[in-house]
């Protein structure tokens, strides 16, 4: 089970989306440990000017999905 989780980059108004595996602690596929979203982080998500996806997570997620597919 995979889930997207946004991490706000403080001070830059930018969100970075990581992919986490829910059955393994809250660590992203890129190896980054993500904190549980705090109220401040959720507010930052609403106010963020830009969003992007973590390329390392996207690559790992893509190969994981292909690996399970057949
Ligand atoms: Zn990531």
């Amino acid at each position: 089970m995979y889930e997207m989780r946004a991490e706000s980059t403080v001070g830059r108004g930018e969100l970075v989306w990581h992919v986490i595996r829910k059955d393994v602690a809250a660590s992203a596929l890129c190896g980054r440990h993500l904190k549980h979203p705090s109220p401040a982080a959720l507010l930052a998500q609403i106010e963020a000017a830009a969003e992007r996806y973590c390329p390392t997570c996207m690559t790992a997620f893509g190969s994981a999905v292909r690996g399970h597919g057949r």
Side-chain angles (χ1 to χ4, degrees):
M1 193 73 187
Y2 293 92
E3 184 181 285
M4 298 294 296
R5 184 166 296 177
E7 184 184 60
S8 55
T9 52
V10 177
R12 286 166 58 193
E14 189 180 70
L15 279 184
V16 181
W17 288 92
H18 293 275
V19 182
I20 64 167
R21 276 189 64 178
K22 296 185 79 172
D23 52 334
V24 179
S27 70
L29 297 186
C30 62
R32 206 178 163 87
H33 287 275
L34 301 178
K35 297 180 287 281
H36 285 286
S38 63
L42 291 172
L43 190 64
Q45 289 182 24
I46 296 166
E47 294 180 337
E51 294 180 62
R52 62 194 179 87
Y53 294 92
C54 169
T56 311
C57 278
M58 287 300 121
T59 304
F61 179 63
S63 41
V65 168
R66 277 194 300 276
H68 285 297
R70 57 195 71 183

